[in-house]
Amino acid sequence: MDSLFGNRRPISLKAMSDFSSLEPPVRKHLKNVYTCLTLSILTAAAGSLFSLTLFQAFQHAWYLRLSLFLASIASLVFVLAIAFTKDNGKNRMTRLGYLLGAASCTGYVLGEALYYTIQLNPSIIFTALTGTSLIFLSFTLSSLFAERRTFLYVSSLLMSLVTLSLMTVITNLFMRSYFLYQAQIYLGLVIMCLFVIYDTQLIVDRCRNGEKDYISHSVMLFFDFVGIFRRLLQILSHMEKDKKRR
């Protein structure tokens, strides 16, 4: 097994915080990426809080449903604006505004799920957020310390799992199986965790090849984080419902 995974070394906090294997430009780039990611998550939290407040005040209002749809469209427009506005060094504040706009709209859309989760058990949100942060941190660190060939393994596995997930979704459109629905959620969680590894290694690889667009790179990680949070929220909510049925 050592020949497959390499020689194992004892895990320590010092080793986990040692990024000397990464070149200084890469470390600087990652610092910018994770700063933007942190700002995005905080902005999304603000958007969710605003949406949650509206749902508590106007739960059944038709215009709230419309606002969720419009916020989803706006989030997509902001992401496309980032993609089609290339970084020239002078437009970074504008592109950062697009990023925060996408984050706030994404957070706003999450408000509905948070509202119904609170009705079920408010502690689920804290548990899901803590779990998301730990999962994201763990897979990020494992990606940064992994060998470059891991990128190839993860990309192949991701392609297979995404294909399997699509087949499951299409099949369940006709079967309406609760088991398949549950499988979709858990499979989706695994896929999003692998995307953290894939995207992190992709960002490092692109940085080494001269691409320093940290704003578009942070978009990738932001939606990975949100994807993990959504699925953990669903899983924990289903577990709570099953517990109350017993």
Side-chain angles (χ1 to χ4, degrees):
M1 294 294 286
D2 284 343
S3 62
L4 180 61
F5 296 104
N7 295 325
R8 295 184 178 179
R9 294 176 294 178
I11 298 174
S12 67
L13 291 176
K14 183 178 180 181
M16 291 177 65
S17 60
D18 181 15
F19 295 98
S20 58
S21 59
L22 298 173
E23 303 88 340
V26 175
R27 292 202 296 269
K28 180 180 178 181
H29 180 70
L30 289 175
K31 180 181 177 181
N32 291 333
V33 169
Y34 289 113
T35 298
C36 288
L37 175 62
T38 302
L39 288 174
S40 301
I41 293 172
L42 291 175
T43 303
S48 295
L49 185 60
F50 177 63
S51 177
L52 185 59
T53 302
L54 291 179
F55 265 93
Q56 289 174 334
F58 312 104
Q59 179 184 355
H60 301 292
W62 63 268
Y63 47 80
L64 275 183
R65 308 293 176 185
L66 177 62
S67 69
L68 293 176
F69 173 74
L70 293 177
S72 300
I73 298 299
S75 179
L76 177 61
V77 170
F78 280 126
V79 171
L80 291 175
I82 294 173
F84 289 103
T85 308
K86 299 302 178 183
D87 179 23
N88 59 14
K90 299 179 181 179
N91 59 356
R92 285 176 180 167
M93 292 305 297
T94 300
R95 299 178 81 246
L96 179 60
Y98 294 154
L99 171 62
L100 298 183
S104 62
C105 291
T106 302
Y108 183 86
V109 174
L110 276 172
E112 181 182 22
L114 296 178
Y115 172 77
Y116 289 112
T117 301
I118 288 175
Q119 306 306 308
L120 195 62
N121 187 344
S123 66
I124 291 176
I125 296 176
F126 177 77
T127 305
L129 185 59
T130 303
T132 301
S133 301
L134 291 174
I135 290 172
F136 189 88
L137 179 62
S138 300
F139 280 90
T140 297
L141 289 174
S142 66
S143 177
L144 291 175
F145 288 113
E147 295 182 11
R148 198 168 183 271
R149 63 182 180 179
T150 309
F151 183 81
L152 300 176
Y153 301 149
V154 172
S155 60
S156 301
L157 180 59
L158 260 177
M159 188 176 297
S160 301
L161 289 178
V162 169
T163 303
L164 177 61
S165 179
L166 288 174
M167 292 175 60
T168 305
V169 170
I170 294 172
T171 302
N172 207 33
L173 288 175
F174 302 98
M175 295 184 62
R176 301 290 181 178
S177 167
Y178 179 75
F179 172 77
L180 284 180
Y181 174 71
Q182 289 287 87
Q184 290 172 31
I185 298 174
Y186 283 95
L187 184 58
L189 178 60
V190 172
I191 289 173
M192 295 313 303
C193 290
L194 290 176
F195 262 118
V196 174
I197 297 177
Y198 177 84
D199 288 338
T200 302
Q201 292 198 345
L202 183 63
I203 289 168
V204 172
D205 192 59
R206 286 181 175 179
C207 180
R208 285 171 174 160
N209 289 326
E211 184 180 324
K212 302 297 176 63
D213 186 2
Y214 56 82
I215 292 177
S216 64
H217 290 171
S218 62
V219 171
M220 298 158 58
L221 295 180
F222 171 72
F223 283 104
D224 291 343
F225 188 94
V226 171
I228 294 173
F229 178 72
R230 280 181 184 274
R231 283 155 184 82
L232 278 181
L233 205 63
Q234 286 179 294
I235 291 170
L236 293 172
S237 295
H238 282 298
M239 290 173 64
E240 184 67 22
K241 287 178 183 177
D242 290 340
K243 188 191 301 183
K244 288 187 175 182
R245 288 194 191 108
R246 294 170 187 169

